[in-house]
Structures are given as C-alpha cells and as structure tokens.
Amino acid sequence: MRFVDIIAKKRDRLELTKEEIQFWINGIVDGSIPDYQSSSLLMAIVLNGMNSKETAALTEAMMYSGDVIDLSGIEGIKADKHSTGGVGDKTSLALGPMVAACGLKVAKMSGRGLGHTGGTLDKLESIEGFSCEIEDEDFKKQVNECGIAIIGQTAKLVPADKTLYALRDVTATVPAIPLIASSIMSKKLASGSDTILLDVKFGEGAFMKTVDDARELARAMIAIGKELGRDTRAMISDMNQPLGNAIGNAIEVKEAVDTLHGKGPEDFTELCLQAGEIMLLQGGVYATKEEARKALIQTIEDGSAFGKLKDMVASQAGNVAMLEDTSLLPQAKYVLEMKSVQTGYIQNLNALEMGTLAMRLGAGRATKADSIDHSVGIVLNAKKSDHVNMGDVLALVYTNQELTPEWIEDFYGAYKFSTVVVERDPIIFDVLQ
C-alpha cells in the first residue's frame, strides 16, 4: 500500500477504506509517514470531507493508537461528559458531584486550558495539594469508592491525535467536522466510559460559531459513538456570553461550590440540571427527566453533592478546608470595580473577548508553556438582557497587576448596549441523541 495513492484517492473525493485509514494512523505513530504527506491528506479531508463510515474508522484507529483504559473493574455504569470548550465553563466541578451523589459513577479525564478557554484541571489545581495525576488502579479504586474522579489524560492516550492536532494547527486544517469529531471522540472512547454526554457550544466564545455548525458536529460525534457501541448524546448550548458569572480558576471553584449550596448563577445551575438529567437517564438511574431533576435538586438541598466534591478532593490529596471556606483559595492582590459608562440594557457580552481579557490577567495561557495565576479573573455583575445605570458595577476584576488603558478599553468594548428591552436566550438550544 502506497500512501501517495491514499492521498490521491481522497483528492479525487473517493471513500477511504478502514484498512487505508489504519495504514495512515500506524504510519503516524511509527513515524514511517512523513508530516508533509499527512498534511496533504489533512487538506484533502478539509476540502472533500469524510462520510460517517470513514470518520468512525478514523476515530477507532486513533483510539487504539495508544492506551485504552479498561474500566470494567468499576461497578455499574461509568459516565463521562465532555464540553467543546468555552468561557466560565466550570461545569464538571458541580455537575460531576451532583450526578455521583445520585448514584452514577463519573470517571472523567480532563484537559488544561489554552487561549480564551479554561481547563478543568487548572481550576482544580487552585485547591492546595490537589493532584490530577493518579495511577490507573487508584483512579478505578476512587471511582468505585467515592463515585467520582477527575484526572488528567495520560501521555499514552491517543498519541496519534497529538501528532495530527499539532499538524492541523500549523497547516490551516483545524476546521473540518470529521477531524474535530474524531479528535474529541477518540479520547473520550479511549477513556473507557460506557456513556458520553457532549456539551457542544456555539457562539462568540466557542469554536463552532452557529447553532447549525454545532448541530453538525454533535451529529457527527453521536454517529461515531453509536458506530462504536457507546450511548452518546449531545446538548447544544450557548457561548455567546460567558457561562455563569466567574471567569478564572479559584473564582470558578468558588462559583461551583456556591452552586452546590444552591447559590449559583441561574444559567449555570440550569445547564448542570439539564446535563445531569441526560446523564442519569443514560445511566439508567432514573426513567424520566422529572425524576432525575428532582433527585439532582435534592443532592444540593441535602448537601450530598457538596459532600461528593469534598470526598473527591480529599481522595486526590486536595485541601478540603478551601472548599469549606473559599476565602482560603488563592486571592488576588486587587479587586477592582468596573463601572458602567452608560445606561441601558446589555445587548451583547462578548464571551471571546472576556475570556481573552481574563487570560491577559494571567488566568489562562496564550501558549502551552505559560504559567497560570489561579487567583485572578473576572466576576460579572450583569449579563445579557440586564438593565444597568451609568455608574453601576458591571464586573469585579481580580488582578495582581494594574490594569492598562488598553485592557480597560477592551473590557468596555466587549459590551454592547440597547435602549430597548433585550430578550434573554435559553442556555440550552437543543438535545440530540
């Protein structure tokens, strides 16, 4: 088999066989196929696409390019949830414990933040001592005993994706649904869970800019899951403004804790409840959404969800006292009020700009080598559709440095105001399965 013939085949819009795709992935892993040839095929895929059969074959080949986690030693259904990334997305920190408190096992591997999107691991590492790196057997033992564990992906998980992602990044071949879907799903499937819930975000702060694009990606990933025997469902959620109020690391941990005490932002709480309903139905814990929602709310009211978060943090060597008293979390030197310079209804609050502003404070990474300042970030006091008067506090900025005039100008540039009432969008636009 010659790889140049495979490139030519996709150039001519023909379907690649499972064997041809496997030959490609094998060549990526063992280094026998040079980057320039893989780059050529990637561009052919961007231009000519892949059908669902090809995409599933690519995902499976990538999935088995490295370690595949065996979770069969964990009792019951194992659930996982994946977000395509956004601003203020601390969902796993609240949703995971809520679902675990209802009796569903949550075995989750998460990533770190890059650019304007925050990473779950970075948020958790705001907690003193918390370890994202634990051995496989300890991971399984913790999920069995505690019901939940959130850890970092192992270096040997889907190595083909690491190579392909780096190539896509420098060859303008990132925006292709088959490549995005196979990248995400290969990691989720290799992580070993029985059920997968995908939170596919769209809007200014998301990779997919429109609802239709988000639906297309969701359908592609669901098809892969079904093809490979996993119960995979997706919800389409709004990222035209940040999720919740907090954008940062320690301040997002605090917001997750507040949510588990019934004091979280309305949009974030609703997203957790709707996601939890789907996960509990997938796991067969409850038969109806109504029963599942009632149970999830009960875990907040009786404190069992917060108890699960504390159990997980303690099991992973974290300082639980920081959850019981969130003032012990990393604190910024300055807390500055950003006041509105006009009166009106907030028509738009640009999530991408807000995420970038937080990154510029030190809450995120512009490059993988950058370090994180866990104490800094932005807490919003008003969001889309809210009415504010001139001089009202729009947000609190947690920072360890003085704000530059450029930063302040960009902050106010992220807001657009209207003199007429602005409708509030739903947080979840669709659920697919």
Side-chain angles (χ1 to χ4, degrees):
M1 192 178 294
R2 295 196 317 155
F3 193 65
V4 68
D5 296 328
I6 296 174
I7 297 171
K9 195 173 179 182
K10 182 47 66 179
R11 177 200 66 198
D12 296 336
R13 302 183 180 181
L14 299 174
E15 179 182 322
L16 301 182
T17 67
K18 185 174 183 178
E19 291 72 25
E20 288 167 334
I21 291 169
Q22 187 66 62
F23 179 78
W24 178 31
I25 298 305
N26 289 346
I28 287 171
V29 174
D30 66 23
S32 61
I33 295 176
D35 286 353
Y36 63 83
Q37 283 194 310
S38 285
S39 299
S40 182
L41 181 56
L42 287 168
M43 185 59 76
I45 291 169
V46 170
L47 296 174
N48 297 326
M50 285 181 129
N51 62 30
S52 59
K53 187 176 176 183
E54 290 175 293
T55 306
L58 176 59
T59 305
E60 187 171 23
M62 289 168 61
M63 168 186 167
Y64 286 110
S65 68
D67 290 348
V68 175
I69 309 299
D70 179 10
L71 299 182
S72 59
I74 298 174
E75 300 168 9
I77 301 292
K78 279 74 70 178
D80 196 358
K81 167 256 168 200
H82 174 79
S83 167
T84 55
V87 179
D89 187 1
K90 73 287 295 177
T91 308
S92 295
L93 279 64
L95 172 63
M98 289 164 64
V99 169
C102 289
L104 185 62
K105 299 287 174 62
V106 179
K108 181 163 177 54
M109 290 189 181
S110 291
R112 299 190 180 278
L114 185 62
H116 71 279
T117 61
T120 298
L121 301 185
D122 299 313
K123 302 180 206 304
L124 285 168
E125 286 178 343
S126 301
I127 304 166
E128 183 183 48
F130 187 90
S131 174
C132 300
E133 312 299 329
I134 60 179
E135 297 296 325
D136 282 357
E137 291 309 310
D138 293 331
F139 174 60
K140 296 172 190 176
K141 183 172 184 287
Q142 181 177 323
V143 177
N144 256 331
E145 295 178 355
C146 176
I148 179 172
I150 300 177
I151 64 171
Q153 293 169 355
T154 69
K156 295 180 181 178
L157 196 77
V158 196
D161 180 63
K162 294 179 177 68
T163 301
L164 281 181
Y165 196 90
L167 278 178
R168 288 165 59 206
D169 192 39
V170 296
T171 57
T173 54
V174 171
I177 294 292
L179 298 176
I180 299 168
S182 58
S183 174
I184 293 170
M185 290 300 292
S186 61
K187 294 190 284 285
K188 290 292 103 182
L189 292 163
S191 298
S193 291
D194 303 306
T195 69
I196 302 167
L197 172 62
L198 303 161
D199 180 4
V200 184
K201 298 189 178 297
F202 73 93
E204 292 289 347
F207 187 73
M208 313 310 289
K209 298 305 179 187
T210 69
V211 175
D212 288 343
D213 288 344
R215 285 195 182 101
E216 184 183 355
L217 176 59
R219 290 190 183 104
M221 292 192 287
I222 290 169
I224 292 168
K226 286 182 177 178
E227 183 75 21
L228 299 178
R230 304 287 175 87
D231 183 330
T232 306
R233 306 183 194 185
M235 57 187 193
I236 310 299
S237 66
D238 180 28
M239 190 44 71
N240 278 304
Q241 66 175 345
L243 178 61
N245 297 332
I247 310 163
N249 291 285
I251 56 177
E252 288 193 44
V253 172
K254 180 183 183 303
E255 187 160 276
V257 169
D258 289 344
T259 301
L260 293 179
H261 283 110
K263 300 173 184 176
E266 183 181 338
D267 61 341
F268 178 59
T269 301
E270 181 59 26
L271 185 137
C272 288
L273 289 171
Q274 290 198 41
E277 290 170 9
I278 298 167
M279 292 177 73
L280 292 174
L281 292 178
Q282 285 180 290
V285 180
Y286 293 98
T288 68
K289 288 196 301 182
E290 292 74 20
E291 290 174 324
R293 176 170 285 244
K294 183 178 179 181
L296 290 162
I297 292 171
Q298 182 64 34
T299 68
I300 294 173
E301 293 176 346
D302 65 18
S304 58
F306 182 54
K308 283 294 181 186
L309 178 63
K310 291 197 294 182
D311 289 347
M312 181 189 79
V313 168
S315 297
Q316 293 178 234
N319 183 356
V320 175
M322 287 185 161
L323 301 177
E324 294 170 335
D325 179 1
T326 54
S327 69
L328 298 175
L329 288 163
Q331 299 291 313
K333 185 176 180 181
Y334 308 108
V335 182
L336 307 176
E337 293 183 342
M338 302 299 292
K339 295 182 178 180
S340 181
V341 294
Q342 57 187 300
T343 295
Y345 295 92
I346 298 176
Q347 182 178 344
N348 188 49
L349 175 53
N350 191 299
L352 173 60
E353 190 60 54
M354 279 293 165
T356 303
L357 286 164
M359 180 188 72
R360 286 160 60 185
L361 295 173
R365 299 179 182 87
T367 70
K368 288 184 179 180
D370 290 347
S371 58
I372 291 282
D373 184 341
H374 291 99
S375 68
V376 302
I378 303 166
V379 175
L380 304 170
N381 199 45
K383 295 177 69 177
K384 184 175 178 178
S385 83
D386 290 339
H387 184 272
V388 296
N389 293 311
M390 185 182 296
D392 286 352
V393 177
L394 287 177
L396 298 176
V397 178
Y398 293 74
T399 179
N400 290 314
Q401 59 195 1
E402 289 189 15
L403 301 180
T404 64
E406 292 81 9
W407 194 98
I408 294 170
E409 181 181 355
D410 290 343
F411 172 85
Y412 286 112
Y415 289 83
K416 188 178 290 184
F417 287 86
S418 170
T419 56
V420 297
V421 175
V422 176
E423 292 294 322
R424 182 173 298 182
D425 294 324
I427 185 64
I428 294 178
F429 276 62
D430 203 356
V431 176
L432 305 174
Q433 64 182 71

